[in-house]
Amino acid sequence: MAEDGVLHAHWRVGNRSGHGEGPIGCDMTMAARAHREEGGFVRARVAILHVLSFALPLVILGCVYALRGMYPFGETGVAVWDMDIQYIGYFEWLRDVLHGQGSPFYSFSMGMGENTAALVAYHLSSPFNLLLAFWGEGSIVGFFNVAVLLKLSCAGATFFAFARNRWHLGATALLASTSYALCGWAFAQASNIMWLDGFVMLPLVAWGTYRAVEGERYGLLFCSVALAVLFNWYTAYMDCLLSLLLFLVYRWELTGASHPVGEGVSRAARIVRVCRRVVASRSTLRYVVTMLLALCASMVLLLPSMLCLMQGTESSFNLLKALMPIPLFPPWDMGAYVVSGVVPETSTSRVPALYTSAFVLIAAALLFCDKGVSKRKRIALAVLLVCAVVGVMFVGPSVVWSDMKLTTSFYFRHGYIVAFVLAVCACEELCSLRCARDERDTFSGLPQRMAVFRARVIRCVGVLALVVLASSGLAIVTHAEGAPSGVAVAATAASLLASGVLLVAWHSRARGNGGVSARVVLCVAVVVLSVDVGFSAYQAFRIYGSSVDAHAQEQAAIDAFVQGSVDDAAGQSGLLVNMAGADRDGTRTLTQIPQTTALFTSSVQSMGEYTSMVNGSLYTMLSALGYTENDPIFGYYSNSSQLLADSLLGVDYVLSATQPAGDVTLVSPAALYEYDLYRYNASLPAGYGIAGSGSVSWGSDPFANQMLMLQDATGSDGALSAYVDADVSEVSRVVEGACECSFQVTVEQDGPLYLDFPVIAQATRNHCWNMVAQVYVNGAPVELVGSNFSGNVLYAGTFSEGDTVQVALSFAEPQASCVTVLDGEQCKGTVEECVARASASDLVVAKTLDEDVLADCLSMLDAEGFSVLSWEDGHVAATLDASSSELLMLRIPYAPGWEAFVDGERVSVVSCYTGLSGVWVEEGSHTVELRFTPPGLYAGIALSAFGVLAFFVLRRRWES
């Protein structure tokens, strides 16, 4: 029995003299060890180690949870940032689906309606989420805490399995696996719970890559890659990219060891020959085929997801510019970011959480000065580490690692690659040290070897400590973002010292009575490591402060709101609620935190969706109508009610702080988030016949766009006079210091007054969210416009002809950089510079709606004969008594996948005003039915079956 826990009949280590040559390392067999390895006792110890690899991170993180008062030991949750305002609704919807409520393919509760294929494949396809089937009505935030705990523990188990089979390490592999599982990246990204699946699967992908090179066994590679893509395709890309790099590294070692280049050949020629052998080989071809077939096997989810994403409006970027090596943070701060407990404080912080453990840092550093490891291996691993580190330092490499996507938040999504490569380097060094120790034990090694090793450890610890102290000190003095605390720096230095001492003690242990027992050293090392990563976790989890109980109460309030207020219209289906920008604390004027997934578990449609996978056609229409004007990645919102547009869309309810215009009834005061719920008394149904073609050319003026849509729908030119200009005169403008503008608006027509801010809207179209302004109407704050989640037309109130209204804009960040459009030309500069150059009409446009004109036009629509029979997720049935041959416009977002049947005969679904669905019907009574099937679903199933069958057929041929 080896003193590190396990002995092995066959294991590989870096090419150390005296132990034979091998492609990835070298073979080392010992008859005595082989004999003892066969015992069942050893196998039991190995099984125990596998259990410990899961249990150790579980216990450490569980203790941190208890100390932090986190669920299940308290009520604190990890739900912050996007998890707070996005993911909660997604997972509550998934829980309902797993409980048999709703369709897994389409949901009318996600905004106005959404194909869920992309949402499921990116956010919800993790096997851990199946636990939601057994999760009761408790808070989803509590489930997030449990899922994080389980995923990080599983990451420890998968890395240990990789280390055990790759290097045949015993108990020492627990140190590396626990360091990987509880690295700083895992704590920093705990709120992005879907990315943790790639973190868990990476060791298995790496293990499969090693098996493919070392023994040309491809089964594990195929299964691990296919499952990684199915669990989360986004991080699977990162796993596959690292797999490619690992494959090249392994092939480089294999080719150099088994096909040495003769003497007398230049170094450049040798490199060219080796590279040619690496690429042009049977093993490389089989690796590529295996990866492609694994991708094919995952098409059951991937293909519908990709086709769904292609219908979105994800913001584009200049790829060439994005690939430029622009630093994400000052390079000299790098040492400060490997300090224990350093994590980003916000979603937009450029602070990489790179800490693994002091043990891994020292072992990885020792590898590169260990002459017992072949130079070829050290160079290959150094290149691998540089690729990973450069990926978190510069924009260009970061884009390559992040699915060729330019990120605007959570910049270091791929940071776990650095932790993994460091852990791999540490395992390589542990294997080399074990080989050197066995040389000493077998061949009576010399004392000077221990002196040399101690000197190496001292140098590595000294250099690491010096880098950490110098970089951290500089970061603290310069007040750099994410600068570590003095306590964290001291703890990191202490961990480096303790880990160095333990490494020396482990390596110098004697088999006789004169040395310290290896088991004692390992036990102490586990304790030190537990304190090290536990302290890092405790420090990192300070950023999580959501309340499990508060979220449970909030969900109960939402359920009560839907069941007790909205459902009062019994018998009506397909209800649409305009949230009117409701924030969870009811202070739209002070904050911009939209609860855009609040109604995802309801039975009604809503005018808010933040999924990053928004239907592009619907977004285009809502943007043209003035509901939303922001980067499409942030979804769409209705921050303010608009009577004309609300009427055309058939909005039934409005949740608002103020009474909306039109004929409304107060249904429930303070119904949700301190906002009142109003019902339109004369709202149009979810479908009605229109006179026009359902097509208009959208411009940049939302008022003109609304009138064009009304004109086409009714066939009346009178619709073009629905909005009447109000006179806007500038009162004052201060652009230095506090950037403020004030205007006097004189109303020319009785009715509701609406305001638009063209210069702010143009800034948001240019992905500039610094031109944020607080809007005041008659001295009262109304709304904060211009951020990620606003930029809309604003309802200012209902006034009479001749009334004067005071409108003021107060810009929050006058010195911030800004990009907008003035007079058709791009304007760059600070916010105050752009405001100074803008005309009054660029800053504010005011219009009054003529309600009489609107009422006359709406009466021309064929809405009386429409009745809903069934309105369910992915299926709608209705009857229509058409007064003429017309286009039936339905409040269903237009998207591929919808099939329509009129009286049982299949008809085409057409696009109405870009964003809605419609079908042509003849005069008379009809039954209309629409059914949704995700595009690519059946093709994806076929491709997955083909990928699996093709791989197993090829695998049998390769093995034979």
Side-chain angles (χ1 to χ4, degrees), residues 215-534:
E216 295 216 8
R217 293 167 293 176
Y218 298 92
L220 179 59
L221 177 64
F222 173 83
C223 294
S224 61
V225 170
L227 291 175
V229 176
L230 287 172
F231 297 162
N232 183 267
W233 59 263
Y234 184 67
T235 51
Y237 165 87
M238 305 171 196
D239 293 354
C240 291
L241 184 55
L242 183 64
S243 171
L244 175 61
L245 295 176
L246 284 171
F247 177 82
L248 295 176
V249 166
Y250 292 155
R251 284 293 302 167
W252 173 269
E253 294 181 51
L254 174 64
T255 304
S258 59
H259 298 85
V261 180
E263 297 182 1
V265 180
S266 66
R267 178 173 296 180
R270 292 183 183 185
I271 294 176
V272 170
R273 290 186 185 183
V274 172
C275 290
R276 187 179 301 164
R277 290 170 182 170
V278 168
V279 175
S281 68
R282 184 181 64 181
S283 178
T284 301
L285 177 61
R286 290 180 176 180
Y287 170 81
V288 172
V289 171
T290 301
M291 297 292 282
L292 291 177
L293 289 178
L295 186 66
C296 188
S298 66
M299 284 294 170
V300 63
L301 275 181
L302 188 61
L303 183 60
S305 173
M306 294 300 105
L307 292 176
C308 179
L309 287 174
M310 290 172 64
Q311 302 302 315
T313 56
E314 182 87 3
S315 59
S316 59
F317 60 92
N318 186 319
L319 180 60
L320 183 61
K321 182 178 179 181
L323 292 177
M324 296 296 290
I326 303 172
L328 283 165
F329 56 86
W332 49 84
D333 288 340
M334 187 71 174
Y337 297 145
V338 297
V339 171
S340 175
V342 171
V343 289
E345 299 286 347
T346 67
S347 61
T348 56
S349 295
R350 297 194 176 193
V351 177
L354 300 178
Y355 190 70
T356 47
S357 71
F359 169 82
V360 164
L361 289 174
I362 295 172
L366 285 172
L367 174 71
F368 297 108
C369 56
D370 185 353
K371 295 183 179 180
V373 178
S374 68
K375 185 177 180 181
R376 179 184 294 270
K377 179 187 286 290
R378 284 182 286 158
I379 292 175
L381 289 175
V383 171
L384 190 64
L385 183 59
V386 167
C387 289
V389 172
V390 167
V392 299
M393 292 184 66
F394 301 98
V395 172
S398 174
V399 168
V400 174
W401 277 107
S402 301
D403 278 24
M404 304 303 292
K405 173 182 170 58
L406 182 64
T407 56
T408 56
S409 61
F410 303 110
Y411 292 97
F412 309 101
R413 308 168 182 211
H414 50 285
Y416 68 97
I417 302 295
V418 177
F420 180 81
V421 175
L422 284 172
V424 165
C425 292
C427 288
E428 289 282 0
E429 177 62 10
L430 287 176
C431 205
S432 176
L433 292 178
R434 182 180 61 181
C435 183
R437 187 196 68 233
D438 289 334
E439 276 187 357
R440 187 185 69 244
D441 293 338
T442 305
F443 304 109
S444 63
L446 300 175
Q448 56 263 35
R449 291 190 178 184
M450 282 308 307
V452 171
F453 178 73
R454 283 194 295 270
R456 283 171 48 209
V457 172
I458 292 172
R459 285 196 301 268
C460 288
V461 171
V463 171
L464 288 172
L466 180 62
V467 170
V468 166
L469 292 173
S471 182
S472 300
L474 181 62
I476 293 172
V477 170
T478 59
H479 302 286
E481 184 181 21
S485 65
V487 174
V489 175
T492 303
S495 297
L496 287 170
L497 179 61
S499 299
V501 171
L502 288 170
L503 265 173
V504 172
W506 175 78
H507 187 57
S508 62
R509 71 188 191 274
R511 291 185 180 276
N513 295 327
V516 179
S517 168
R519 293 184 178 87
V520 173
V521 175
L522 281 174
C523 289
V524 174
V526 168
V527 172
V528 171
L529 178 76
S530 299
V531 173
D532 184 9
V533 296

Side-chain angles (χ1 to χ4, degrees), residues 636-926:
Y636 57 82
Y637 315 95
S638 175
N639 292 318
S640 184
S641 62
Q642 301 182 70
L643 181 57
L644 194 158
D646 283 359
S647 299
L648 290 174
L649 294 180
V651 173
D652 298 287
Y653 292 88
V654 176
L655 188 68
S656 177
T658 59
Q659 180 173 325
D663 182 13
V664 297
T665 298
L666 176 62
V667 175
S668 176
L672 186 64
Y673 306 132
E674 303 179 20
Y675 281 70
D676 301 329
L677 181 68
Y678 297 88
R679 180 177 59 211
Y680 283 119
N681 294 322
S683 61
L684 291 170
Y688 55 85
I690 62 175
S693 62
S695 176
V696 295
S697 297
W698 300 124
S700 59
D701 183 351
F703 301 114
N705 290 335
Q706 292 183 28
M707 291 187 289
L708 286 173
M709 182 175 175
L710 183 62
Q711 179 197 33
D712 182 82
T714 61
S716 171
D717 290 337
L720 298 178
S721 60
Y723 279 110
V724 178
D725 291 336
D727 180 68
V728 178
S729 59
E730 185 172 345
V731 176
S732 65
R733 186 184 312 195
V734 178
V735 295
E736 295 183 2
C739 188
E740 298 177 349
C741 309
S742 61
F743 306 87
Q744 178 174 293
V745 178
T746 303
V747 179
E748 305 290 344
Q749 167 74 40
D750 293 349
L753 177 68
Y754 296 93
L755 305 175
D756 187 33
F757 313 96
V759 69
I760 297 177
Q762 289 291 352
T764 57
R765 292 185 191 123
N766 282 279
H767 315 304
C768 172
W769 308 297
N770 293 329
M771 205 173 206
V772 179
Q774 178 67 63
V775 180
Y776 297 84
V777 175
N778 288 334
V782 177
E783 185 181 332
L784 195 68
V785 298
S787 76
N788 315 35
F789 305 104
S790 64
N792 53 281
V793 169
L794 187 150
Y795 171 57
T798 299
F799 300 94
S800 301
E801 181 181 356
D803 286 350
T804 58
V805 181
Q806 305 300 320
V807 176
L809 300 176
S810 178
F811 291 89
E813 300 179 74
Q815 300 301 321
S817 60
C818 177
V819 180
T820 186
V821 176
L822 296 174
D823 298 326
E825 296 182 357
Q826 191 176 73
C827 175
K828 293 184 178 181
T830 63
V831 170
E832 64 180 16
E833 289 171 348
C834 293
V835 171
R837 292 176 55 185
S839 63
S841 59
D842 289 325
L843 292 167
V844 175
V845 172
K847 303 272 188 178
T848 302
L849 177 65
D850 190 328
E851 295 185 83
D852 293 333
V853 172
L854 176 62
D856 291 341
C857 290
L858 294 179
S859 65
M860 301 177 189
L861 299 172
D862 186 11
E864 296 297 328
F866 183 85
S867 177
V868 174
L869 299 177
S870 173
W871 192 281
E872 300 173 350
D873 291 337
H875 180 264
V876 171
T879 59
L880 172 69
D881 187 7
S883 60
S884 62
S885 178
E886 62 191 15
L887 179 60
L888 171 63
M889 186 177 76
L890 297 159
R891 199 176 60 214
I892 299 174
Y894 178 75
W898 281 106
E899 296 177 304
F901 301 86
V902 175
D903 299 329
E905 295 185 7
R906 186 170 180 172
V907 297
S908 299
V909 179
V910 299
S911 170
C912 290
Y913 309 112
T914 309
L916 298 178
S917 300
V919 294
W920 288 98
V921 295
E922 300 294 332
E923 181 180 357
S925 299
H926 302 283

